[in-house]
């Protein structure tokens, strides 16, 4: 009986422990996405810039170019309805509103060390 109980505990731990790590990754990626969108919403350009990967920063060209890009994307509200994490890549999808218009939003995040960074973004008018 004791061996059977230990086997059941071992089997459960093989499923529960990885799931806890996945939940933590989901939360962390989701938190970063919310932090990024909140920074855009509040016009905190430095915070949103700092949440981007160096690849995006290089593509934008300069912080001043980022300010130009971000200044017109201070969304009134946003929400994510889908989060998918595979290894060190996360995709967050949702909607945002700006001046009565609704946008589909997609954020691609990559994990670098313990931190998630925005590596791609798409804001499409619905």
């Amino acid at each position: 009986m004791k061996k059977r109980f230990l086997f059941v505990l071992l089997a459960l731990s093989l499923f529960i422990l990885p799931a806890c790590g996945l939940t933590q990754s989901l939360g962390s990626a989701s938190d970063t996405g919310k932090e990024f969108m909140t920074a855009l919403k509040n016009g905190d350009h430095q915070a949103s810039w700092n949440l981007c990967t160096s690849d995006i920063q290089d593509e934008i060209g300069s912080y001043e170019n980022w300010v130009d890009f971000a200044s017109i994307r201070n969304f009134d509200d946003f929400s994510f309805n889908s989060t998918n994490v595979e290894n060190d890549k996360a995709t967050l999808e949702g909607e945002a509103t700006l001046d009565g218009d609704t946008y589909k939003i997609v954020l691609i995040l990559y994990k670098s060390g313990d931190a998630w960074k925005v590596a791609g973004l798409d804001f499409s008018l619905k």
Side-chain angles (χ1 to χ4, degrees):
M1 180 74 166
K2 285 184 183 180
K3 286 183 182 180
R4 187 176 194 181
F5 179 72
L6 288 174
F7 177 75
V8 170
L9 283 179
L10 179 61
L12 285 174
S13 70
L14 292 174
F15 292 105
I16 293 172
L17 292 177
C20 290
L22 178 61
T23 301
Q24 185 177 15
S25 291
L26 285 172
S28 184
S30 179
D31 291 346
T32 299
K34 289 176 186 174
E35 185 179 349
F36 177 78
M37 292 300 295
T38 299
L40 286 180
K41 177 181 175 178
N42 294 338
D44 188 347
H45 306 306
Q46 189 66 54
S48 60
W49 175 254
N50 291 340
L51 289 168
C52 293
T53 62
S54 59
D55 289 340
I56 283 191
Q57 292 174 348
D58 291 345
E59 186 176 330
I60 295 290
S62 68
Y63 174 72
E64 290 75 23
N65 290 347
W66 177 255
V67 170
D68 291 342
F69 172 84
S71 292
I72 60 171
R73 290 170 176 83
N74 57 333
F75 295 102
D76 302 321
D77 198 14
F78 68 89
S79 65
F80 293 110
N81 55 26
S82 174
T83 302
N84 182 29
V85 176
E86 276 189 44
N87 300 319
D88 291 340
K89 179 183 177 184
T91 304
L92 284 68
E93 297 181 16
E95 291 186 349
T97 57
L98 177 64
D99 298 332
D101 292 323
T102 301
Y103 292 81
K104 176 183 178 190
I105 55 174
V106 178
L107 298 180
I108 306 295
L109 293 89
Y110 287 127
K111 192 171 187 181
S112 176
D114 289 335
W116 287 93
K117 296 277 190 162
V118 177
L121 48 99
D122 181 35
F123 305 121
S124 304
L125 189 59
K126 283 185 102 177

